[in-house]
Amino acid sequence: MDVPSDSTLVHPLDLRHWSSSFGEKKILDFRVQIATPKSWSDTKAHWYYRFNTPRKLSNLLLFNHGDCDSHHPGVGDVKFVKDLQDNVVVTKKFECSRFDVHFHKSLGWGKMNECFRTPCKAGFNYLKLATSGAFSFSVESSKSGIMNNSTKYIGCEKDKCCACYGPSSDKDYCAPGCKAINGGTVLTDDDTEIHAWYWIRTSLPKRVWKKCMEYEKIGDGGKTVKWHIDEYTKVPQQGPCSYPGDVRFNDGVAVVDNKETLKKLPNIEGLLSYRTDNKDLLLRGKHSWNSMAKQNQVERLQTEMSELSSKLFKLEQKNKIYSSCKNALERIGDATHGVYKIKSSSVVKAGYSNVYCHMTSMPGCSGGGWTLVMKVNGRKETFYYGSSYWSNKATYNPGGGLTGFDDQETKLATYWNTPFKEICLGMKVNNDINFISISYQASSLYDVIADGTYHGTSIGRSKWLSLIRGSGLQSHCNREGFNVYSPNPVIARPQVARIGIIGNQENECKSPDSYFGFGGLAEHSRAYCGIMPKAKTSNTCGNSAYCSPPGGNKEIPAMGYIFIR
């Protein structure tokens, strides 16, 4: 409803808009095509209205005329409706596709007609007063759309937008309010991406010269057989044209064998022709044929346009707001790593935060769609165990959340906004980076950690230690999970971890002297075997182990990464 119109022509795979260049053109047909991806490969519904009398595009929607009454303007004066998927006329009794409810000629349907003639930057619903607008048809009734059942439908009713269709056009499958009936299917933007194209035709195609028209069909046994249209009877006949070097039609382009055959074409300015001998595409000017491009140039241009279209599509998708990186991956399909707009209640004005998304598997974390939450530098005390960042809803250096596996610390709004079922933890030491995943479901990481309550996991010490080569822990205790601490400490400053595992040399957890994970003690709080060191390196993320751990004492700060999905 907020789709703008402007004077530029519409490219089928371009950014969405209506064209206001054809408002004064009289149209014979108005065609509607609905698909799920941004191409025609998955078309769900496709039909056109043939009008009794051609009318200007700016008069597409009729008010109190053409069988559309004064309460429900719409597409009226319909001669028949043709379903282009079945390629049959499905109804000749249909009268009006109700577009919306009439309030004022300057709103809704009236503004839509105006936007076909004059550019509308904000779309036809520029005042946000028109909450409905739809195109549809019915094979069971003379009316469809707003307040009526439909066979196929696309549009909005009271701000609820959807597309609806059935397996064929034999009955109505759509009820008001975006509801399916008779086994129909309803799609909304919450379910999948919906794309619609609207086409016009001003007249029926006409034959411009009487020449033998040749084409090919697949015959018995899969062999290609030539056919032609008899010049006099207009009846298809098997076999090629009776004389060589004639003209063949191929999707509106006159195909000729050579220069001599080209001369047989009529002098119609704007006619396209393709020469098979030199693979040249030509356009007829007023006095001569002009070369447009060789076939290899056309193919290269088509490839470049396809690549550009794909890039534009992905760029357009990146500008949308998603609930998570996984949601973005599901909506886009082949999304790449990078910054995406993730829904955030913390940024009230914008409604989203810019977040780095990792869209493929990481060793130890299979699949893509991982949403970045935090990056922790173990040599700093920004995110030590007692830091308020673990218990508040404040971001830290959000710019650091726009990049991947560098050394910038960050805490993003995804810490308290994004629900998850899996968590992916990564640690980097001397550019050696490893990952592990934990199956754990929560409404957010904040809800798991902020109140300080211990929540256990059971992945085992060996999996934790796999994050850093040569790491170690004392042999006992092995308490792991979130908010990991000694439940009955007998020393002043036992080791702790916001996410990780702790160890002890005694066969209990009362005096742990080693930890592995994220959110360890600050440097001034650390002690080993109950003795406070005078000066030690900060290690708020990584591995710290003393007092008889297997393999000797360990002090390995790491750069840590926390993703959720």
Side-chain angles (χ1 to χ4, degrees):
M1 298 174 70
D2 58 352
V3 177
S5 72
D6 55 51
S7 59
T8 62
L9 296 180
V10 178
H11 186 283
L13 300 182
D14 203 348
L15 298 179
R16 60 179 192 162
H17 72 285
W18 300 91
S19 176
S20 59
S21 299
F22 301 99
E24 297 303 313
K25 296 288 185 181
K26 287 190 175 182
I27 60 172
L28 179 65
D29 297 338
F30 185 77
R31 178 156 61 105
V32 181
Q33 184 176 1
I34 305 168
T36 48
K38 196 172 184 180
S39 71
W40 298 302
S41 61
D42 191 26
T43 294
K44 299 298 185 183
H46 197 184
W47 75 89
Y48 72 79
Y49 311 95
R50 169 66 53 79
F51 301 133
N52 287 306
T53 304
R55 63 177 180 267
K56 292 181 179 180
L57 178 60
S58 57
N59 291 329
L60 174 68
L61 303 175
L62 302 179
F63 170 69
N64 201 21
H65 176 65
D67 299 311
C68 292
D69 58 42
S70 59
H71 299 291
H72 302 94
V75 180
D77 192 37
V78 176
K79 186 175 183 179
F80 62 78
V81 177
K82 185 171 184 177
D83 188 317
L84 293 174
Q85 289 182 292
D86 297 332
N87 200 31
V88 294
V89 173
V90 292
T91 177
K92 294 183 179 180
K93 298 180 180 180
F94 184 69
E95 296 178 349
C96 181
S97 168
R98 289 175 164 175
F99 183 77
D100 63 357
V101 177
H102 172 66
F103 291 105
H104 190 275
K105 65 180 181 180
S106 297
L107 299 174
W109 69 273
K111 187 65 178 179
M112 187 78 226
N113 279 347
E114 180 184 336
C115 292
F116 283 133
R117 182 177 61 252
T118 305
C120 298
K121 292 184 178 180
F124 82 92
N125 189 21
Y126 70 111
L127 293 178
K128 307 300 180 184
L129 297 176
T131 60
S132 302
F135 296 100
S136 61
F137 73 89
S138 170
V139 297
E140 296 186 19
S141 172
S142 61
K143 306 290 192 296
S144 69
I146 305 301
M147 301 178 65
N148 294 85
N149 290 346
S150 306
T151 302
K152 295 184 180 180
Y153 171 99
I154 184 168
C156 302
E157 184 175 346
K158 296 181 180 179
D159 285 329
K160 186 173 184 179
C161 302
C162 68
C164 178
Y165 56 91
S168 63
S169 292
D170 58 338
K171 65 180 73 172
D172 286 347
Y173 292 97
C174 315
C178 288
K179 296 179 181 178
I181 57 175
N182 297 324
T185 299
V186 170
L187 298 178
T188 68
D189 273 333
D190 294 332
D191 303 319
T192 186
E193 196 78 14
I194 302 173
H195 297 278
W197 294 269
Y198 301 91
W199 313 76
I200 59 173
R201 180 159 62 179
T202 57
S203 63
L204 296 177
K206 299 177 182 178
R207 188 172 182 179
V208 294
W209 72 87
K210 294 182 179 180
K211 289 285 186 178
C212 179
M213 193 184 305
E214 188 175 292
Y215 59 100
E216 294 179 339
K217 293 174 62 176
I218 303 299
D220 296 335
K223 293 184 178 180
T224 301
V225 180
K226 287 190 176 182
W227 286 69
H228 71 278
I229 304 296
D230 187 275
E231 182 176 349
Y232 301 101
T233 66
K234 310 299 186 292
V235 176
Q237 301 287 340
Q238 187 170 343
C241 292
S242 58
Y243 46 91
D246 201 8
V247 179
R248 303 179 300 281
F249 262 131
N250 185 0
D251 291 336
V253 179
V255 181
V256 297
D257 295 325
N258 49 48
K259 184 177 180 180
E260 295 304 316
T261 312
L262 182 67
K263 293 179 180 179
K264 296 181 180 181
L265 295 178
N267 297 331
I268 300 176
E269 189 174 359
L271 184 64
L272 281 173
S273 179
Y274 176 71
R275 279 180 56 178
T276 59
D277 59 339
N278 63 359
K279 298 182 178 179
D280 196 2
L281 182 65
L282 303 108
L283 176 67
R284 179 69 191 188
K286 191 171 184 179
H287 302 292
S288 63
W289 288 96
N290 302 305
S291 177
M292 294 181 65
K294 301 293 185 181
Q295 183 172 348
N296 60 345
Q297 294 174 319
V298 174
E299 291 173 349
R300 184 170 63 250
L301 181 60
Q302 288 175 333
T303 300
E304 291 174 354
M305 290 182 64
S306 177
E307 292 174 351
L308 179 60
S309 176
S310 177
K311 290 179 181 178
L312 287 173
F313 172 65
K314 290 180 179 179
L315 181 61
E316 181 183 357
Q317 299 307 304
K318 274 199 171 185
N319 285 327
K320 293 190 175 183
I321 300 175
Y322 301 96
S323 60
S324 66
C325 295
K326 183 181 179 182
N327 176 240
L329 180 62
E330 291 171 342
R331 297 284 292 275
I332 301 174
D334 59 344
T336 56
H337 311 317
V339 178
Y340 291 79
K341 295 178 179 178
I342 304 302
K343 186 176 181 181
S344 171
S345 60
S346 67
V347 189
V348 177
K349 187 174 181 180
Y352 65 87
S353 298
N354 289 316
V355 176
Y356 173 80
C357 294
H358 197 85
M359 293 305 195
T360 59
S361 297
M362 294 174 273
C365 299
S366 62
W370 293 101
T371 302
L372 180 64
V373 177
M374 296 176 69
K375 295 194 292 189
V376 181
N377 189 333
R379 297 183 181 277
K380 298 181 179 181
E381 298 192 354
T382 311
F383 297 109
Y384 77 98
Y385 188 89
S387 169
S388 61
Y389 283 116
W390 294 105
S391 57
N392 65 24
K393 293 184 178 181
T395 59
Y396 176 81
N397 185 29
L402 308 181
T403 54
F405 304 103
D406 56 19
D407 295 339
Q408 297 185 75
E409 287 194 303
T410 189
K411 175 193 168 189
L412 301 175
T414 50
Y415 180 73
W416 64 89
N417 273 317
T418 309
F420 64 93
K421 294 182 180 179
E422 296 175 88
I423 183 168
C424 178
L425 304 175
M427 286 192 179
K428 181 177 70 173
V429 177
N430 297 326
N431 292 322
D432 180 24
I433 186 168
N434 298 287
F435 300 90
I436 62 172
S437 64
I438 304 173
S439 294
Y440 197 94
Q441 185 169 351
S443 56
S444 71
L445 199 56
Y446 170 88
D447 288 338
V448 179
I449 295 176
D451 65 358
T453 303
Y454 168 69
H455 299 279
T457 59
S458 57
I459 65 172
R461 60 184 281 138
S462 61
K463 190 169 183 178
W464 286 103
L465 296 178
S466 69
L467 281 169
I468 298 178
R469 300 178 192 274
S471 56
L473 283 172
Q474 293 165 291
S475 300
H476 303 292
C477 182
N478 295 316
R479 196 176 199 219
E480 62 172 282
F482 305 91
N483 296 322
V484 186
Y485 54 84
S486 172
N488 299 295
V490 295
I491 59 175
R493 295 178 179 86
Q495 291 281 23
V496 292
R498 285 294 185 176
I499 306 174
I501 184 172
I502 57 176
N504 195 16
Q505 78 271 31
E506 290 90 10
N507 193 18
E508 33 81 357
C509 289
K510 295 181 179 180
S511 56
D513 303 292
S514 58
Y515 102 101
F516 191 107
F518 299 75
L521 290 172
E523 186 276 327
H524 66 273
S525 301
R526 299 169 68 202
Y528 310 110
C529 303
I531 301 173
M532 180 76 71
K534 292 183 179 180
K536 294 291 181 182
T537 303
S538 293
N539 192 345
T540 56
C541 177
N543 177 215
S544 178
Y546 291 88
C547 304
S548 305
N553 294 343
K554 307 291 181 183
E555 194 67 69
I556 312 174
M559 186 68 202
Y561 308 93
I562 303 174
F563 290 84
I564 57 175
R565 183 175 65 187

